[in-house]
């Protein structure tokens, strides 16, 4: 196979029969081109579905208190449900083995100033675990820690937007900002992939927030992430168990939907999984249909090529060529053409996705791309199909007697 004369002969044959080679290559290149574009669009749609849920932890549950809409156990309609620190402990005591991270949260809108700069921001009192639930990334300094919670420290972590607006060209770490007339030390700056809206906030220890704004243990909502090993159905059942337990604790009717509300990312994740699975099946059917069309095309061309070269095969046999060498020449030529054409099709497909990708966002297709390994696998499939399609007629032709092959029309 590594005989120099053999390879020279193969390339001479390809060069001599350019039209035939181009037709063979075009079939493969077009199939791989369509295959790459289809799967690229499929991945772009999947990216759109995932982005719709932001960059927060996709295994999170948010629990909100509300007001009752039904009388129950002597309690009147319209009773306000208020969560306290003990409710966080209640959930952790009962479901702690299924919880990954947990934080309570208190929200306040406040006026914040630093020297001559002043603006209004949302302050969120949280536990350190909130960093992993919200997927914050510390840009400078540090995040809130447990010691801050225990000592009610007057420290804050500010978002990138807050840093840019209050601390223009000044390192905020260690500086003090005025929040509602009280000075707080900036210990960190964070970023969030969701952008300005999530970076336009300030985090402080929840114990500090509760003490400063009311001197109580009330909380506005609770965030948690469940064990990531749970599947969607298990996560939904877990969320329903939490909701049921809280309703029992607060004496809320089971069919009261507003007293305690729960948002479970598993519901959205399950819907996205169903949509992406269905999309993948559709694209696979279309993609493999395109691939099969390419296989049929290259197979027909190979059969035609072998038949066209019957006289050539007869001459080779008359000159002493072995059946094995005749088959090898045809197969290697087929593999070379298919491999080169497949690579060209891949380059064109990726190039098309790169060029038109930004404009496809209008049609909810974000960052369309395709795995090189997938397209390489498709190309190898075409190569194998072309080799098999060429081998059978080549093997048959190599057994024909020279005189019969020379008489072939």
């Amino acid at each position: 196979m590594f005989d120099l004369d053999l390879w020279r002969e193969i390339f001479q044959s390809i060069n001599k029969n350019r039209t035939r080679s181009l037709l063979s290559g075009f079939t493969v290149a077009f199939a791989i081109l369509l295959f790459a574009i289809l799967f690229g669009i499929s991945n772009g749609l999947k990216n759109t579905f995932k982005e719709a849920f932001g960059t927060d932890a996709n295994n999170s549950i948010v629990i909100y208190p509300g007001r009752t809409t039904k009388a129950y156990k002597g309690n009147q309609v319209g009773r306000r449900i208020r969560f306290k620190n003990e409710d966080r402990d209640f959930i952790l005591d009962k479901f702690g083995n299924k919880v990954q991270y947990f934080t309570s949260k208190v929200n306040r809108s406040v006026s914040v100033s630093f020297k001559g700069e002043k603006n209004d921001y949302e302050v969120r009192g949280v536990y350190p675990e909130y960093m992993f639930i919200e997927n914050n990334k510390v840009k400078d300094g540090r995040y809130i820690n447990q010691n801050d919670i225990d000592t009610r420290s007057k420290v804050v972590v500010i978002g990138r937007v807050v840093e840019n607006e209050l601390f223009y060209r000044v390192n905020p770490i260690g500086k003090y900002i005025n929040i509602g007339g009280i000075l707080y030390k900036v210990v960190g700056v964070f970023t969030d992939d969701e952008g300005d809206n999530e970076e336009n906030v300030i985090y402080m220890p929840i114990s500090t927030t509760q003490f400063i704004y009311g001197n109580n243990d009330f909380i506005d909502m609770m965030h948690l992430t469940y064990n990531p090993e749970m599947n969607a159905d298990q996560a939904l059942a877990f969320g329903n168990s939490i909701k049921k337990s809280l309703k029992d604790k607060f004496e809320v009717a089971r069919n009261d939907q507003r007293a305690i509300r729960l948002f479970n990312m598993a519901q959205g994740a399950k819907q996205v999984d169903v949509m992406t699975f269905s999309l993948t099946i559709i694209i696979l059917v279309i993609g493999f249909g395109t691939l099969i069309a390419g296989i049929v095309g290259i197979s027909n061309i190979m059969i035609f090529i072998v038949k066209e070269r019957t006289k050539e095969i007869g001459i080779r046999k008359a000159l002493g060529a072995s059946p094995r060498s005749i088959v090898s020449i045809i197969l290697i030529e087929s593999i070379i053409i298919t491999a080169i054409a497949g690579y060209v099709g891949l380059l064109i497909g990726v190039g098309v996705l790169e060029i038109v990708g930004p404009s496809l966002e209008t049609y909810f297709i974000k960052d369309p791309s395709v795995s090189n390994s997938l397209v390489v696998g498709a190309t190898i499939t075409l190569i194998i199909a072309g080799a098999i399609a060429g081998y059978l007629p080549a093997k048959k032709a190599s057994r024909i007697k020279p005189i019969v092959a020379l008489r072939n029309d």
Side-chain angles (χ1 to χ4, degrees), residues 28 54 57 93 103 129 154 205 220 251 257-258 265 280 282 284 291 295 302 313 337 343 378 384 393-394:
V28 176
D93 288 341
T103 182
E129 290 85 349
K154 291 185 177 64
D220 294 331
E251 296 185 342
Q257 301 301 319
R258 294 190 179 182
M265 284 288 287
T280 299
I282 293 173
L284 279 174
L291 203 59
I295 290 173
M302 285 306 303
I313 292 171
I337 293 173
Y343 183 70
I384 294 174

Side-chain angles (χ1 to χ4, degrees), residues 175-192:
K175 303 296 189 299
Y176 287 83
I177 59 176
N178 187 313
I179 302 179
I182 300 174
L183 295 179
Y184 292 82
K185 183 179 181 179
V186 178
V187 296
V189 179
F190 73 90
T191 61
D192 192 299

Side-chain angles (χ1 to χ4, degrees), residues 194-404:
E194 289 190 47
D196 291 356
N197 287 339
E198 289 299 321
E199 295 175 340
N200 195 34
V201 299
I202 298 172
Y203 295 133
M204 69 169 59
I206 188 169
S207 57
T208 306
T209 311
Q210 289 175 325
F211 179 72
I212 297 296
Y213 300 99
N215 191 20
N216 56 46
D217 62 350
F218 291 125
I219 56 180
D220 294 331
M221 62 187 70
M222 294 181 283
H223 291 237
L224 65 88
T225 55
Y226 50 82
N227 188 332
E229 293 183 1
M230 288 186 185
N231 59 37
D233 292 330
Q234 291 173 330
L236 290 172
F238 173 53
N240 291 334
S241 297
I242 293 177
K243 193 173 184 178
K244 176 180 176 295
S245 297
L246 287 173
K247 283 185 174 182
D248 291 341
K249 182 177 185 296
F250 285 93
E251 296 185 342
V252 173
R254 294 289 175 84
N255 59 348
D256 191 334
Q257 301 301 319
R258 294 190 179 182
I260 296 174
R261 293 166 294 157
L262 185 145
F263 175 74
N264 195 335
M265 284 288 287
Q267 183 66 47
K270 187 174 182 179
Q271 293 174 352
V272 169
D273 287 342
V274 171
M275 294 180 69
T276 53
F277 178 76
S278 302
L279 180 64
T280 299
I281 294 299
I282 293 173
I283 295 296
L284 279 174
V285 171
I286 298 174
F288 281 110
T290 303
L291 203 59
I292 290 172
I295 290 173
V296 172
I298 190 66
S299 299
N300 289 336
I301 290 174
M302 285 306 303
I303 293 172
F304 174 76
I305 288 174
V306 172
K307 185 176 181 180
E308 185 186 48
R309 298 176 66 176
T310 301
K311 285 187 177 182
E312 176 190 332
I313 292 171
I315 294 172
R316 289 178 181 276
K317 290 199 70 176
L319 295 175
S322 65
R324 181 178 179 181
S325 66
I326 293 172
V327 173
S328 297
I329 290 173
I330 295 174
L331 287 186
I332 295 173
E333 182 178 331
S334 170
I335 291 171
I336 290 173
I337 293 173
T338 308
I340 294 174
Y343 183 70
V344 171
L346 171 60
L347 290 180
I348 296 174
V350 172
V352 169
L353 292 175
E354 288 287 337
I355 294 171
V356 304
S359 62
L360 291 178
E361 290 191 22
T362 308
Y363 304 97
F364 306 104
I365 300 173
K366 183 176 178 59
D367 298 329
S369 60
V370 63
S371 169
N372 288 340
S373 59
L374 181 66
V375 182
V376 169
T379 305
I380 292 174
T381 302
L382 282 177
I383 291 173
I384 294 174
I388 294 174
Y391 175 79
L392 297 177
K395 186 70 174 176
K396 183 179 180 180
S398 68
R399 292 174 180 172
I400 299 177
K401 293 181 180 180
I403 188 64
V404 175

Side-chain angles (χ1 to χ4, degrees), residues 87-143:
D87 297 313
R88 174 179 180 269
D89 299 332
F90 170 77
I91 293 176
L92 286 175
D93 288 341
K94 194 163 187 176
F95 303 102
N97 61 327
K98 297 180 180 180
V99 174
Q100 183 186 30
Y101 300 111
F102 197 120
T103 182
S104 306
K105 189 167 79 168
V106 175
N107 297 326
R108 293 290 183 273
S109 294
V110 296
S111 178
V112 183
S113 63
F114 174 75
K115 295 184 177 180
E117 301 295 333
K118 185 177 182 180
N119 212 335
D120 293 330
Y121 299 103
E122 179 184 353
V123 168
R124 298 176 182 174
V126 296
Y127 284 90
E129 290 85 349
Y130 192 71
M131 173 181 179
F132 305 105
I133 297 174
E134 190 71 15
N135 279 335
N136 297 144
K137 298 178 179 63
V138 175
K139 175 176 172 283
D140 296 302
R142 65 173 178 84
Y143 208 73

